[in-house]
């Protein structure tokens, strides 16, 4: 895969951030990611009068990835209203792990880092598979 254009990705995230719906917190977030087929997917936070229903920018991004045909996330960034890079929240790190795995590169205020650093010892699909295999072996006569 060609070199990642982080500046272009951040610009896409800033653009998405301008469309955030954040009337309750007043904290707009925009996210953008490069997909392994070259596509760029975006998302912004969408809040709700029932505060807990709020969708983070990453939720919209992952929804767009899957609805657009799926694929693996290669590089991810999210920004605040100043356009500055922020860290994805804990729940969204888990969300990103599922669709990018250990190699996904994440933009952080301290530079880019792989998901293995952003979400160490992550729980993921593999944990489900090993238990499924355990049951299958147990069921064998
Ligand atoms: N938010 C995101 O969209 N992504 C994150 O990773 C951190 C938090 C949103 C949720 C809420 O609308 C606002 O930021 C303040 O928490």
């Amino acid at each position: 895969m060609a070199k990642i254009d982080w500046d272009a990705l951040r610009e896409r995230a800033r653009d998405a951030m301008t469309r955030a719906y954040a009337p309750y917190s007043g904290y707009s977030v925009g996210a953008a990611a490069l997909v392994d087929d070259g596509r760029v997917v975006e998302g912004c936070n969408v809040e709700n009068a029932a505060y807990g229903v709020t969708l983070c920018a990453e939720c919209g991004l992952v929804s767009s990835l899957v609805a657009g045909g799926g694929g693996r996330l290669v590089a991810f960034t999210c920004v605040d209203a100043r356009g500055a890079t922020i860290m994805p929240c804990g729940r969204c790190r888990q969300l990103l792990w599922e669709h990018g795995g250990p190699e996904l590169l994440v933009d952080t205020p301290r530079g880019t880092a792989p998901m293995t650093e952003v979400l160490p010892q992550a729980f993921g699909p593999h944990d489900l598979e090993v238990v499924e295999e355990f049951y299958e072996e147990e069921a064998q006569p």
Side-chain angles (χ1 to χ4, degrees):
M1 166 141 305
K3 205 171 163 289
I4 296 157
D5 188 345
W6 285 103
D7 283 337
L9 213 53
R10 287 180 197 118
E11 270 314 305
R12 291 288 294 263
R14 287 177 190 130
D15 186 51
M17 180 274 294
T18 64
R19 294 186 292 279
Y21 177 73
Y24 305 108
S25 72
Y27 190 88
S28 297
V29 179
L34 178 65
V35 185
D36 59 356
D37 62 4
R39 233 148 92 224
V40 171
V41 286
E42 296 172 353
C44 59
N45 54 335
V46 179
E47 297 187 345
N48 192 280
Y51 298 167
V53 177
T54 288
L55 302 173
C56 281
E58 294 87 336
C59 298
L61 179 146
V62 167
S63 234
S64 169
L65 170 76
V66 174
R72 298 295 283 172
L73 299 175
V74 172
F76 169 87
T77 187
C78 61
V79 300
D80 64 15
R82 302 166 302 166
T85 300
I86 56 167
M87 291 303 287
C89 76
R91 181 179 183 275
C92 290
R93 293 181 199 196
Q94 183 69 34
L95 202 56
L96 293 169
W97 179 272
E98 183 90 9
H99 300 279
E103 281 109 51
L104 169 61
L105 281 176
V106 178
D107 195 20
T108 87
R110 298 183 194 159
T112 60
M115 273 305 285
T116 46
E117 275 177 41
V118 172
L119 190 65
Q121 299 195 61
F123 178 87
H126 178 71
D127 293 281
L128 302 183
E129 282 160 21
V130 291
V131 171
E132 203 176 301
E133 281 161 20
F134 167 76
Y135 282 129
E136 277 164 14
E137 279 159 26
E138 243 192 3
Q140 242 134 73

